[in-house]
Every structure is written in C-alpha cells, then in structure tokens.
Amino acid sequence: MTTTAGDPSAQLADGLARQNSTGLGRLLGTGKVGHAVEGPDGRMTATVRIPEDELSWEPETIIMPHGGDLELTLINDDRNTHCAVLPNNGDPKIIWLVNHSKGTASLNLDGPGTYYYGSTTGNDEGRGLIGAIVIGGEVPDHAKLDRPAQPRP
Amino acid sequence: MTDYVDAGAAIPLTQLSAVKGSAPATTNVDFERIKNAGTEPENWLTYYGTYDGQRYSELDQITKDNVRRLSPAWVFQAGATGMQSGASTYSFEAAPIVVDGVMYVSGPDGKAWALDAKTGEELWRYKHASPYDVSLCCGNVNRGLAVGHGKVYMATLNAHVVALDATTGEKVWDITAGDVRAGESRTAAPLLVKDMVVVGSSGGEFGTRGCLDAFDAETGERRWRRYMIPKPGEPGAETWPSDGDAWQRGGANCWITPTYDPELELLYQGTGNPAPDFDGGVRPGDNLYTDSIVAVDVNTGEIRWHYQCTPHDLWDYDSTMENLLFDAPDGRKLLAHADKNGYFFVLDRTNGELVRVFPFCDRITWGEISPEGKVTPKVYPDEEGVPVHFWPGPAGAKEWTHMSYSKQTGLIYIPVQEVGATATRRRREFKESIPYWGAGVAVDLDDFYGFVSAVDPLTGEEKWRWRNEYPMCASNVTTAGGLVFQGTPTGEFVALDAETGEKLWSFQCGSGHHSSPSVYSVDGRQYLAVPTGWGGWIEGFLPGLLGAAAGDALFVFALPED
C-alpha cells in the first residue's frame, strides 16, 4: 500500500522508531547497523552509544565477521543512567553506565548467530534499549557434515 | 568535547551474586568408578545413574512406610536474564549428577551449575552464550552433564561441546562439534566412557545427517564420528534411493544419551526419525539407520549390529529413547526399549536378535508389529493434502523421557503417553536450517491420558498401571525403598508402590515435570533431586497443556531430619 507524508498511517509507522510517539517506547529492531573492526591480532572492536532520550543503542546491530573476542566500547550520551548486560561465554557481563559515561566490555562469542544484550534497569529493554551482536561466517570445516553443499533459503 | 565519566570495564554478572565461585574438590571420577557406580548409591555419577540405564538407586531410607513424610529440603531457582533462544519452548529437562555432596546440573540456554547437594548453595555457574536464532525444533533445553577426570562436560545449543573445571566452572576446552547453519544443535547429556566423551547430534527436524561423536576427554580432539546415515557404498546405503540426495538429509540424530555395556564394549544408541518426517515419497526404502537401536563399538565407532524399530518411518517415530540393559535369570544379556511406535522391544544385546516384542500402550493404529517383528504399516500420510489421524502421535507412546528398572521386582516402569495426531502431507524442498517435515501436523488437543505401566520384560505382562488424566512426560526413577517416583505434567511429584502401583505420596511442584530426577545421599540422608519446569516441544506431545504454568526450579526432597 502506498502512503503519503500526510497519511495518518504513515505518521503512525514513523512513530515506531521514536520514544512515546505511536507506542510508549520504541519498536525493537528499527535501528542502524554497524560493523566490528578486526585488528591484526584477530580481536575485534566496536563502539555503541545511547543517544539522548532515544533509549536505543546506536548502532543497534553490530556485525562481527566471525566468532571470537570483541572489545566493545559503550558510551552513554543520555541524561539518565542505564546499564548493559552482555552475552559472553562463561558468564554474561554487566556494566553500569551513569549519565555521560564511557566504559568497555571484553566479550567472547561463538559464531555464527545472533546475540542480544540490553539495559536491564527499569524497563529500558521494553522501551527499546536492546542491541544485537550478529556473527557471520561459517563453522570450522571439521564441524561440518560430510555431505555435498546443500541449498539454503 | 564531552568529558565522560569512566564507567570502567564490564564485570561478570556472577560477581554481583552470592555464588562462591568454587566447589570443593571431589574424589576423582573415572571410568572404573563409573563402571561400578551402582556400588556407591550415595552418588549419581552418570546420566542414568549407571551405564545400564536402569535408573535404580540402592538407597532405601525412604520407604513405603515413611514416604508420606517426604518434603522439600531445598529449592534452586534457575531464572533467566534477557532474550532467550527458543523462549516459547524453554524447559528444564536436566538430570542432576551428584559426586561427594556436590551436584552438577545443567539448564536451558547453555547454563550449568555446581550446587551444594545438602543445602542448595550455588557454588559456581557457567553460561555458554547461546545464539538467539539457532534452529531448535524441540526446545531450548539441555538434558544433562557428564562428570569425570576433574571436569564437567556439556553440549550446547550451538553445537559445541565444552569441558569445565569441576572445581571452578572455568572452561578447559571448547570444540565446535556441529554446524548451526545446517540446523544442527546439541542437547543430549554427554557420556564419559574410558577416556572419551561421547555425545550425539540434535536437529532431527532440519534434515541433518545424524551422528555420534567421541572426543578425547582431556583435549577435546575428536576420536571418531559415526554417521547414522550411510554414504553410497557403505553398509545400509542400499536402503536409501541410489540416486538423489535423500541420504544427505536423512536425519537419524542421536539426541539422547546412549547406554553402555563395559564387557561387550558396546554403546547402545537410539537414532531419530528420517527426514522429511512424514513424506516417505522422497526417500523410498527402509532408510537405515533411522529409528534404530544401533550397537556401536566404543573403541572405533563401528556399527556392530542394528535393529530398526520402524522401517521407512512415516509418523516421526524416533527410536532415540534409551536402551535399558538387564540380564535374564538364565544369564542372557538383554536390552529393553520402549519405542515411540507403541511397541516394547527386548533384544539380545550381544547380537541384536529380537527376543520379544509387544505393545505397551492402548491405542496403536499406525500399523502392527507381529511377535516375530514383522512390521505392517496401516495408516499413514500418503496423499498430498489428505489428513490422516493415527495413534500414537509423533511424540510417541513414550517420549525421550526414561523408564526405570527395579532389581527388587524385576519390573520396568514405563511413563506412557496416550495422544494421537493428524498429519497432512505437504511436500516441500529441502533447505538448510528450515524445518523439513513434509506435512502439517496437529496433535490432539483432547482425548488423551497417561499411565505408568509396570511391565515384566521377561514375559511382556503388565503387572499394574497407575492411570492419570494426563500423559506421563517425565522420566521416572525407582529405589530400593520399594518405590517408583514419577512427575506429572500438572506438577505433582508422585511416589508409587513398586509392587502394586498404589499412590503413596505426592507433592505439587507448581510446574509440570519433563526431566530426569536423580537419587543420592549426603551424610546419611537420602535425597531426590527433581528439576521441574513445563516446556519443550509441548505442541508435539501434549498441546492440551500449552497454557500450563511454566518455570524452572529444582526441588530436592528428603525426610525430616528429626
């Protein structure tokens, strides 16, 4: 269905990505995509921010080219306190992020697959403060089934 | 430029808890000790308690006379944080292991714990980060751990196998065992045999090529892999189409822990359904080694013999369920298997010869198996778009949860499900990571019941049954106190008289049972450890309770200390 700027349904749809517009918070999965950068030692780095009054991670999705170690920098540009509980092999990691703070998290994740993280204080996650780390690539050859390549969706 | 407050570095979540971070070093568990696990009933050293899968405890402090006084000694609440992969089918299917007063137990979503088996205090925890988007047909579940050589072994949803330090929970090694992009996962409890960790594949609904792996217990290096679908030219390949790709996606996963005979050095592995589950038109033939009991040489991974319970399966009748080992009075070494297809098989475990086969449920319409083992299919989805109803449904007359054997009575206690289903064939093309069923399936929402059936495996006679309004969807366990313990889908944990089936006691745990309880003692006090938490593939085995209370608590019962 085609919509125009003056179309009420388009305005409602536009409000899905913002705080207290169509819904109370922000619809999950409407953010931008960033990429982790791989260093010469194979470790990867990325940065995410929490913009003011948006209750979102920017970028919301970080793509890692393969599983391994990620050094994540987290910056809270908001005027409220949040935190992050992050996936990590062994134990999830937590960091408190008071107003205008900056911290780091060293994470180890297998690939491929999607891992979610969020601020577990208040109802930050419900308001949209959920991020994803998506790992691409393939499993090692030794872990693959002994069969010819198969069709994929 | 903003002058940021330094938030420091993220710390492990456990650091903000009362978890001690270490467990006392227990005496070493090795192959010799596990072989003789029945001689130390204070411990529950391996998945089934003993290699033979009998799920029998020699502990007799809790008796028919005093069981009415049984009450919770402590409760462990597993809990969850954040978005979970397969949240709709989250289930606590654990089988607690106990060594010298320390309990090692796994949960959904890659979690494992060491607990004080006397108090429930959390000693350490480990969480393998589980991708949210893994292909899971049948739940965000893990059925248990293996313990030995100072380590704890666990399989993960993204098809890794990890070894943890038993005293700290720190990872020692981590091997990628399967391909998550191909729909593979790992949910079975590993089995420690000799110096190897044996664990099979999961992913039966995604057209994988099922396999059983053995890894070096010290290093994680793979010693052997046994595919359960032969390649062209290998023994059994003649039961698959000679042309085409059917064997490459044939299924036969090994998603339940095998039993083991140390004298014969054979693993008894049940294998899963062929893929696609309900559309046999794309895979003519018997489709070995799907739906089979397979005897695997533990040293080489070679198949010594096999027995197929449902040739050319069209009903999703996995035979992954346990193969319980017992000896006849004349010394014959036997194997008992209650299959999804509703028939109970007794085999000679030295060579796979059929000794006896008989039905153990009330309603079987899919086909018939003669006393000689001849299989005659009767009702199956054959025509495109035509619904066909059959009993038992695809979860089977008995699901993956386990029966038990009492050395006192000589009876086997089977948790039975009486649930039918309707399948309508809908052919589809295979694609990796997409469910490959070949049908639409609706399991009956009403007209179901269940019971515990006490069967003499030497005659096939049912000695008694304890009937319940709802099917039995949990493993049971039997003790030298003359009792059978069984959890129900509606939350009751029940004690039955092993000789008569009389209900002697029950406790409402608040959420249904779909796990494998274990029995142990500490300082002379007998305990029963019972993970509860309704979930898993409920739509497949009891959709009539899809709306029931869920949870994930571990109840531990004991008699009062006074």
Side-chain angles (χ1 to χ4, degrees):
Chain A
M1 184 175 72
T2 303
T3 58
T4 65
D7 185 341
S9 62
Q11 292 171 12
L12 288 170
D14 178 63
L16 296 178
R18 291 184 284 117
Q19 290 292 310
N20 206 12
S21 180
T22 303
L24 300 176
R26 171 181 171 275
L27 187 68
L28 306 181
T30 53
K32 295 179 180 174
V33 176
H35 294 266
V37 176
E38 185 170 3
D41 60 354
R43 292 178 64 85
M44 289 162 273
T45 57
T47 298
V48 291
R49 295 174 179 272
I50 305 172
E52 184 174 334
D53 289 344
E54 291 189 15
L55 284 176
S56 64
W57 298 103
E58 174 60 50
E60 185 191 77
T61 301
I62 296 169
I63 297 175
M64 289 169 62
H66 54 78
D69 295 319
L70 173 69
E71 190 73 12
L72 185 65
T73 298
L74 303 106
I75 299 172
N76 183 6
D77 284 324
D78 196 16
R79 293 177 185 269
N80 289 296
T81 295
H82 305 289
C83 73
V85 175
L86 298 143
N88 175 57
N89 278 322
D91 198 16
K93 289 195 172 178
I94 183 168
I95 183 168
W96 286 101
L97 296 164
V98 300
N99 315 4
H100 290 282
S101 65
K102 178 179 180 180
T104 60
S106 298
L107 308 176
N108 176 263
L109 297 168
D110 303 327
T114 299
Y115 301 81
Y116 285 100
Y117 65 97
S119 170
T120 55
T121 185
N123 187 30
D124 282 358
E125 288 175 322
R127 301 277 295 179
L129 202 45
I130 281 183
I133 300 169
V134 181
I135 302 177
E138 300 283 338
V139 300
D141 286 344
H142 70 76
K144 292 186 175 177
L145 293 168
D146 180 15
R147 64 181 182 183
Q150 302 293 307
R152 287 182 175 174
Chain B
M1 179 177 170
T2 306
D3 185 16
Y4 289 107
V5 172
D6 182 6
I11 59 173
L13 194 56
T14 304
Q15 202 166 312
L16 307 179
S17 76
V19 177
K20 294 180 75 170
S22 68
T26 58
T27 52
N28 186 43
V29 178
D30 58 17
F31 178 53
E32 288 301 316
R33 197 168 162 194
I34 299 175
K35 272 201 302 188
N36 299 304
T39 65
E40 47 178 307
E42 69 273 21
N43 293 319
W44 190 273
L45 294 181
T46 187
Y47 180 66
Y48 296 107
T50 47
Y51 275 142
D52 54 22
Q54 293 185 357
R55 295 187 51 76
Y56 173 78
S57 169
E58 293 281 2
L59 295 179
D60 59 2
Q61 187 178 84
I62 301 168
T63 67
K64 297 176 189 178
D65 293 331
N66 63 25
V67 69
R68 63 186 170 79
R69 301 181 65 216
L70 205 58
S71 56
W74 54 267
V75 178
F76 176 72
Q77 304 272 10
T81 302
M83 295 168 71
Q84 309 285 320
S85 47
S88 65
T89 52
Y90 187 91
S91 177
F92 201 8
E93 298 187 358
I97 302 285
V98 178
V99 184
D100 302 338
V102 178
M103 180 183 294
Y104 305 92
V105 62
S106 63
D109 222 46
K111 289 183 280 192
W113 303 272
L115 308 174
D116 185 316
K118 188 174 179 178
T119 65
E121 182 183 17
E122 191 175 353
L123 302 175
W124 58 248
R125 69 171 72 153
Y126 173 85
K127 185 180 187 308
H128 199 82
S130 299
Y132 184 80
D133 50 354
V134 287
S135 298
L136 298 174
C137 108
C138 307
N140 183 336
V141 301
N142 184 278
R143 298 191 181 85
L145 308 168
V147 176
H149 307 308
K151 300 180 187 65
V152 175
Y153 303 94
M154 180 173 70
T156 75
L157 290 179
N158 63 340
H160 283 231
V161 178
V162 298
L164 311 175
D165 185 296
T167 57
T168 65
E170 299 280 336
K171 192 161 67 179
V172 178
W173 55 255
D174 177 346
I175 183 85
T176 312
D179 186 355
V180 289
R181 288 209 184 273
E184 282 196 278
S185 53
R186 294 290 185 276
T187 53
L191 186 72
L192 194 64
V193 182
K194 298 190 175 185
D195 59 348
M196 294 177 286
V197 180
V198 177
V199 62
S201 59
S202 301
E205 314 311 327
F206 298 94
T208 64
R209 188 177 174 217
C211 58
L212 185 67
D213 287 329
F215 301 99
D216 184 295
E218 286 301 321
T219 65
E221 180 185 359
R222 192 159 69 197
R223 294 277 189 83
W224 52 256
R225 163 168 285 194
R226 170 51 44 198
Y227 283 105
M228 293 301 173
I229 306 289
K231 292 174 80 167
E234 293 179 346
E238 69 279 4
T239 66
W240 290 88
S242 57
D243 55 347
D245 305 326
W247 69 272
Q248 300 167 15
R249 311 142 183 189
N253 284 278
C254 303
W255 52 275
I256 290 296
T257 306
T259 50
Y260 177 63
D261 185 324
E263 289 183 14
L264 300 172
E265 298 196 282
L266 291 178
L267 296 159
Y268 299 98
Q269 179 67 56
T271 64
N273 59 275
D277 304 50
F278 301 94
D279 183 0
V282 299
R283 47 174 174 80
D286 279 355
N287 306 146
L288 290 172
Y289 299 93
T290 66
D291 291 356
S292 297
I293 299 161
V294 181
V296 175
D297 185 320
V298 75
N299 298 307
T300 64
E302 295 300 313
I303 294 176
R304 294 295 178 218
W305 59 257
H306 73 276
Y307 186 94
Q308 191 172 38
C309 299
T310 314
H312 190 68
D313 178 11
L314 301 166
W315 307 268
D316 193 12
Y317 285 155
D318 304 62
S319 294
T320 44
M321 295 61 208
E322 76 285 357
N323 300 297
L324 190 158
L325 313 184
F326 71 107
D327 295 342
D330 64 3
R332 193 170 187 187
K333 295 164 83 67
L334 302 177
L335 173 157
H337 173 89
D339 200 82
K340 267 187 173 185
N341 68 20
Y343 283 88
F344 193 99
F345 296 83
V346 179
L347 307 181
D348 183 324
R349 70 175 183 269
T350 66
N351 56 21
E353 178 185 333
L354 179 66
V355 174
R356 184 173 301 107
V357 59
F358 54 90
F360 65 93
C361 64
D362 294 337
R363 299 180 293 190
I364 299 177
T365 59
W366 67 270
E368 185 174 1
I369 302 179
S370 73
E372 296 74 34
K374 184 176 185 302
V375 179
T376 306
K378 291 182 176 175
V379 178
Y380 47 88
D382 190 30
E383 293 183 57
E384 191 76 3
V386 178
V388 174
H389 184 274
F390 55 88
W391 276 295
K398 174 179 165 296
E399 234 232 307
W400 69 267
T401 49
H402 309 307
M403 56 192 184
S404 61
Y405 172 87
S406 168
K407 287 180 167 57
Q408 293 181 329
T409 65
L411 301 177
I412 290 178
Y413 305 95
I414 314 167
V416 180
Q417 307 180 137
E418 286 279 354
V419 189
T422 299
T424 307
R425 209 193 82 182
R426 302 285 187 188
R427 182 161 291 170
R428 66 152 301 142
E429 294 177 13
F430 172 80
K431 293 174 185 172
E432 274 188 335
S433 82
I434 302 294
Y436 189 44
W437 288 18
V441 183
V443 178
D444 296 350
L445 285 168
D446 49 21
D447 188 16
F448 49 68
Y449 60 95
F451 51 93
V452 177
S453 176
V455 167
D456 183 341
L458 300 176
T459 64
E461 181 185 0
E462 183 181 84
K463 294 291 188 181
W464 56 256
R465 71 167 56 177
W466 179 72
R467 197 179 189 282
N468 192 50
E469 181 181 357
Y470 291 92
M472 293 297 131
C473 309
S475 304
N476 58 43
V477 64
T478 184
T479 70
L483 298 165
V484 179
F485 291 93
Q486 173 75 58
T488 72
T490 45
E492 294 88 4
F493 190 57
V494 177
L496 306 175
D497 184 321
E499 288 182 302
T500 67
E502 180 186 359
K503 186 173 105 174
L504 302 175
W505 168 87
S506 74
F507 183 90
Q508 173 54 253
C509 295
S511 178
H513 295 252
H514 195 43
S515 72
S516 298
S518 56
V519 185
Y520 66 96
S521 70
V522 183
D523 297 337
R525 190 182 187 200
Q526 181 181 345
Y527 298 87
L528 282 112
V530 189
T532 67
W534 188 235
W537 180 51
I538 297 174
E539 61 271 35
F541 58 86
L542 186 48
L545 284 181
L546 263 167
D552 51 357
L554 171 70
F555 282 72
V556 175
F557 295 96
L559 294 171
E561 289 188 283
D562 55 358

